[in-house]
Amino acid sequence: MPICADGMASTVTEAGADVTNRIAKTYSTSSGGPHTITFTAPTAGARLILVISSWNSFTTPAGWAEDYHATGYNHVYVLSKIAVGNETSVVIDHGDYRLHAVLYERDDCPNLLFKTTGTTIASSLSSSSVTVPAGATGRVFGVVNNPNGVASSSSWTQGLARHFTVDVLSSNSAFAHGAMPAAGARTFTINGLTVTSGTNTAVAAFVGYGTTDAAAPSAPAMLRATSITGTAVSIEWDAATDDVGVTGYGVYQDGQKLGQDQADLSYAFTGLTPGQTYLFEVDARDAAGNRSPRAQISVVAEVDVTPPSAPPNLRASEVTHTSITVEWDAATDSVGVAGYGVFLNGVRQGPDQAERTYTITRLARGTTYTIGVDAADAMSNRSAPATIQVSTLAGGDPSAPPGLTATAGREQITLAWGASEAGALPIARYEVLLDGQLAASTTQLGYVIEDLEAGGLYEVAVRAVDAGLARGPAVSVTVTVPAGDWTPVASPVYRLGDWVGNARDVHGVTWTVEEEEGWSSSAAPITLGSDSDNADGGFDGPGRYGPRIVTLSGTAVADSQIAMLAAQERLTGVLPASGVGVLRVAEAHLTRQATVRLEDTVGVTDRGPLAFDWTLVVKASNPRRFARRPVYAEVTFEPAQTSGATTVVMAGDYPTIPARLRLYGPVLDPVIRVEERGLEIRTKPGTVLPDARYALDIDLATREVWAIVPPEVWPEPRPGRTLLSRFPAGFFLAQGPNTIRLSGALVAGQEETSPRLVIEATDAWI
């Protein structure tokens, strides 16, 4: 490693006590410019001196001063600046590859004392005479560009030592530096410049930096700690003295300088570790860059084990039907309070906060809550909580829907009602109940309940729900659905369109099912080539069973030959050749159905003038047998919570019971989970449904996902699978209880409104 004249290596390790006085970078390249010279960050306040030998001239980069520029055949420059401390590069806008440079970092060169140049076409170059001031200390930096020969064999006078050379075509460079020579007139000479031919002029520059003030200030007196905590220490000191004047003070922590010099006689160290010992130092600097010895003090950061006091005067400042706002006065601590925690019935409400007020929303009406607030310091010592009990306002529920009417039709009931009067919050929707069980929710003033049993007696009810989930009183009526236009003669009763088996129909024809095959037995299993169950939502298709073939055969008896012939026509036309229908089978305890199409020609054989034998063969591509009505359930967030759950009990034995999930906002990053199996449908981070007009529609049977937005945003549902980060193939409903949990974050500005997950699942059997 080359050694400078003062014995310092040309490259110095950046760690250590003295990294300022160094050769920060030597630079040459074989590529054209611009030239980016990179270096490790300097010490703030040091002088950066950039000495350059170049083929052409260039513009001084921003932030740098051109202290000297001399021209022969080529150019030499000396640039400098006072370091801020974050510089790591400088760009020289010089297009030719023949640019060579050395960057020096010095803390003993505060002022430019002199500059001179010299030129030659021979092997020796001497500068013009300059005067070194009396008492001057510092450094002299020299550079030569010798286009007509080489510079690598040059020798320098006045104590300058050559330490970096580059010999290239027509631009041969050498760099030297050394201590400031004695005061008086001085001439700098370079010998040994090998000249090969021609008359191109070599040029050199010599620049001296330093000071005429050689006396350092005294060390700062009476360095002392004025405040000590677990994470911060404040120190002060008395002013240092100097023969000219102190310009600033440097502050050090464990040997590392912190920032630039300052004029203040105090400093606060922060971010400390409790229980750790630190060495703090301060030195003084004068205008000449002379630094005093460092004053030192060792300090142990305190270990704070004392908790703050409980927050005083906890009080409710505002109470509504669904929210409580509390306030409190400042707690006290031996060091300082860092924040406050708020609790509702013992459950923390978010992270600690600096503010001394908090509003808890989405509470239940007329309910008493225990609200607590504690204080924490920077060491996580927590106070005892201050607590109060506050009750939300009671009442304010919606009124009962007026004018409920129920019109019974064929296996359905049509409901209509008037608008409820809102209470404390606006009406959000109406719930429809069938025999006391939730059957549907709607924002309209009417609803049709379908797939009911003919002749059944039902109690139907409607109640209003407001934005805070308060439910008004239900209004109910009892309705009898008209009986079917057939009379059962045996069980089960089979229905396909207008045809009824094991019954006497409206035309006076008795249809008896004597044989049945394929409905009450399991469909044929199929062998899968591989298990396609995977985490991104892949599934095995419509089932692990083949299509179901159902064959029904029996006898029909009519009152007349004309009625018999008409019955044969009705049977053969029950399903068109390419059409589908619903085969519904009503047993004593359960009615199930399947979508079917004709598999073979309807068979009819006369047995006399009033009777005939018949055969009906149909095929169900989906082998599942479904319940007539879906199971309906909803999940909302519990008061003051960010989750809610409901349990859906399924009676079907099919391994994957279909379900449809519709999630309405407002909610951020929602997750739907089946608790019994630990499977989750998880949205991608940042997914938000801003309000109830935004929804996700998830079909567990087809694995389709649709995003629903307000029509003014987009008129139709759009594919929404990309909003999900996880959609396990095993996410389905199974026989028995299925606990469905919805969780997510509240949406800012919509905290009073709960998201809603609607679950519609149809029992299925194999």
Side-chain angles (χ1 to χ4, degrees):
M1 181 179 292
I3 302 298
C4 303
D6 60 358
M8 181 177 291
S10 63
T11 301
V12 180
T13 302
E14 296 306 313
D18 187 8
V19 299
T20 302
N21 294 321
R22 60 170 181 154
I23 298 176
K25 186 73 172 184
T26 58
Y27 177 84
S28 66
T29 182
S30 59
S31 302
H35 300 268
T36 300
I37 302 173
T38 61
F39 49 92
T40 56
T43 300
R47 181 178 291 276
L48 297 178
I49 302 168
L50 183 59
V51 183
I52 298 174
S53 170
S54 63
W55 173 257
N56 289 320
S57 61
F58 57 83
T59 301
T60 302
W64 292 75
E66 182 184 288
D67 290 340
Y68 201 45
H69 173 205
T71 305
Y73 182 75
N74 295 333
H75 303 263
V76 289
Y77 288 84
V78 181
L79 315 178
S80 75
K81 67 174 295 187
I82 301 301
V84 175
N86 59 2
E87 300 93 336
T88 57
S89 66
V90 59
V91 178
I92 306 299
D93 190 10
H94 181 279
D96 192 81
Y97 74 95
R98 285 163 292 189
L99 182 140
H100 317 125
V102 176
L103 177 66
Y104 305 89
E105 179 187 352
R106 305 295 300 190
D107 67 357
D108 56 356
C109 297
N111 305 308
L112 174 63
L113 299 183
F114 62 81
K115 53 190 175 183
T116 185
T117 187
T119 59
T120 186
I121 57 173
S123 60
S124 179
L125 180 152
S126 294
S127 72
S128 300
S129 178
V130 294
T131 299
V132 177
T137 60
R139 305 291 291 181
V140 179
F141 303 90
V143 57
V144 63
N145 184 293
N146 181 23
N148 199 31
V150 297
S152 57
S153 59
S154 60
S155 61
W156 304 57
T157 64
Q158 298 296 346
L160 301 186
R162 173 175 49 83
H163 65 89
F164 180 58
T165 59
V166 183
D167 288 327
V168 296
L169 177 65
S170 302
S171 186
N172 305 288
S173 306
F175 298 82
H177 72 119
M180 185 69 65
R186 293 286 177 262
T187 298
F188 297 90
T189 300
I190 306 174
N191 297 308
L193 297 173
T194 304
V195 179
T196 56
S197 63
T199 59
N200 292 341
T201 303
V203 60
F206 306 88
V207 179
Y209 295 91
T211 178
T212 56
D213 178 8
S218 66
M222 295 295 293
L223 179 61
R224 56 201 178 272
T226 57
S227 174
I228 302 175
T229 72
T231 59
V233 172
S234 295
I235 61 172
E236 293 181 358
W237 58 91
D238 294 345
T241 58
D242 184 69
D243 58 341
V244 175
V246 174
T247 59
Y249 297 90
V251 179
Y252 304 79
Q253 178 179 318
D254 292 335
Q256 299 298 314
K257 192 171 190 292
L258 304 182
Q260 301 186 35
D261 291 343
Q262 65 174 50
D264 295 339
L265 299 178
S266 63
Y267 190 87
F269 300 89
T270 60
L272 307 181
T273 300
Q276 183 169 322
T277 300
Y278 294 91
L279 176 65
F280 301 128
E281 298 174 292
V282 180
D283 65 4
R285 185 181 189 273
D286 62 19
N290 302 305
R291 305 201 75 90
S292 75
R294 298 178 187 176
Q296 298 182 340
I297 185 174
S298 291
V299 179
V300 179
E302 286 186 352
V303 179
D304 181 9
V305 296
T306 304
S309 67
N313 195 22
L314 176 62
R315 58 202 180 272
S317 58
E318 183 178 2
V319 179
T320 71
H321 290 84
T322 58
S323 68
I324 298 172
T325 299
V326 293
E327 297 179 357
W328 58 92
D329 295 342
T332 58
D333 185 68
S334 59
V335 176
V337 174
Y340 299 91
V342 180
F343 301 81
L344 178 69
N345 290 343
V347 178
R348 175 185 288 275
Q349 304 296 294
D352 286 352
Q353 62 174 51
E355 297 79 13
R356 289 186 282 112
T357 182
Y358 190 86
T359 299
I360 305 172
T361 61
R362 295 188 61 256
L363 301 176
R365 290 169 171 78
T367 303
T368 300
Y369 294 94
T370 299
I371 300 174
V373 178
D374 68 1
D377 61 22
M379 290 305 299
S380 298
N381 299 307
R382 306 199 73 90
S383 74
T387 61
I388 56 172
Q389 288 191 326
V390 185
S391 298
T392 53
L393 300 180
D397 297 340
S399 69
L404 175 64
T405 62
T407 304
R410 185 179 182 183
E411 300 178 0
Q412 68 179 30
I413 299 173
T414 301
L415 301 173
W417 59 87
S420 295
E421 293 183 3
L425 295 173
I427 303 296
R429 61 187 180 277
Y430 296 90
E431 292 182 339
V432 178
L433 294 88
L434 181 66
D435 291 337
Q437 299 296 316
L438 183 63
S441 290
T442 179
T443 58
Q444 306 301 313
L445 298 178
Y447 188 78
V448 178
I449 307 176
E450 298 180 313
D451 295 319
L452 301 175
E453 293 288 349
L457 179 65
Y458 297 95
E459 182 184 58
V460 292
V462 179
R463 64 190 178 196
V465 182
D466 70 14
L469 299 183
R471 289 166 170 81
V475 58
S476 63
V477 294
T478 301
V479 184
T480 300
V481 175
D485 52 5
W486 68 90
T487 302
V489 297
S491 181
V493 174
Y494 298 87
R495 294 175 56 197
L496 182 59
D498 291 330
W499 175 81
V500 184
N502 279 343
R504 181 179 177 83
D505 66 18
V506 69
H507 304 285
V509 179
T510 301
W511 300 83
T512 303
V513 179
E514 297 175 341
E515 292 186 13
E516 172 267 308
E517 182 180 351
W519 177 261
S520 57
S521 59
S522 297
I526 59 176
T527 302
L528 298 175
S530 62
D531 183 6
S532 61
D533 183 70
N534 52 67
D536 68 357
F539 69 113
D540 293 337
R544 292 192 289 269
Y545 300 88
R548 179 184 296 278
I549 304 296
V550 180
T551 302
L552 303 176
S553 61
T555 302
V557 179
D559 293 336
S560 66
Q561 189 173 18
I562 293 175
M564 184 189 76
L565 294 175
Q568 291 177 353
E569 283 191 30
R570 290 196 304 274
L571 180 62
T572 56
V574 69
L575 280 176
S578 60
V580 296
V582 175
L583 174 61
R584 184 173 293 168
V585 181
E587 303 171 72
H589 65 290
L590 184 66
T591 298
R592 294 179 288 188
Q593 62 189 31
T595 301
V596 299
R597 67 175 64 245
L598 280 179
E599 179 68 5
D600 202 351
T601 304
V602 177
V604 174
T605 304
D606 288 341
R607 294 184 59 180
L610 301 179
F612 62 91
D613 294 330
W614 55 269
T615 302
L616 185 63
V617 182
V618 294
K619 175 181 178 180
S621 298
N622 187 331
R624 290 173 283 206
R625 297 169 296 168
F626 295 95
R628 290 188 63 182
R629 284 188 52 77
V631 176
Y632 185 93
E634 293 189 3
V635 180
T636 54
F637 283 180
E638 301 165 7
Q641 300 299 315
T642 54
S643 70
T646 190
T647 298
V648 178
V649 179
M650 306 304 295
D653 61 5
Y654 194 82
T656 57
I657 296 178
R660 193 176 196 94
L661 311 177
R662 291 193 302 277
L663 173 61
Y664 298 90
V667 65
L668 172 64
D669 294 335
V671 177
I672 304 171
R673 178 181 175 89
V674 181
E675 298 283 21
E676 284 76 8
R677 290 185 296 283
L679 296 174
E680 295 179 341
I681 298 176
R682 183 177 292 274
T683 56
K684 292 181 178 177
T687 299
V688 60
L689 304 179
D691 56 50
R693 301 173 301 161
Y694 293 78
L696 285 179
D697 192 325
I698 305 172
D699 191 330
L700 298 183
T702 64
R703 318 303 282 184
E704 292 180 320
V705 181
W706 295 94
I708 301 170
V709 300
E712 64 270 20
V713 177
W714 194 264
E716 299 176 350
R718 293 184 288 178
R721 186 65 174 270
T722 56
L723 296 175
L724 305 183
S725 63
R726 183 172 177 81
F727 188 4
F731 194 102
F732 51 79
L733 302 189
Q735 186 179 33
N738 297 265
T739 303
I740 309 298
R741 177 169 296 279
L742 170 66
S743 59
L746 301 178
V747 176
Q750 295 282 326
E751 293 87 354
E752 292 284 351
T753 305
S754 170
R756 185 165 60 105
L757 176 66
V758 174
I759 306 162
E760 286 186 297
T762 304
D763 269 318
W765 293 261
I766 191 57

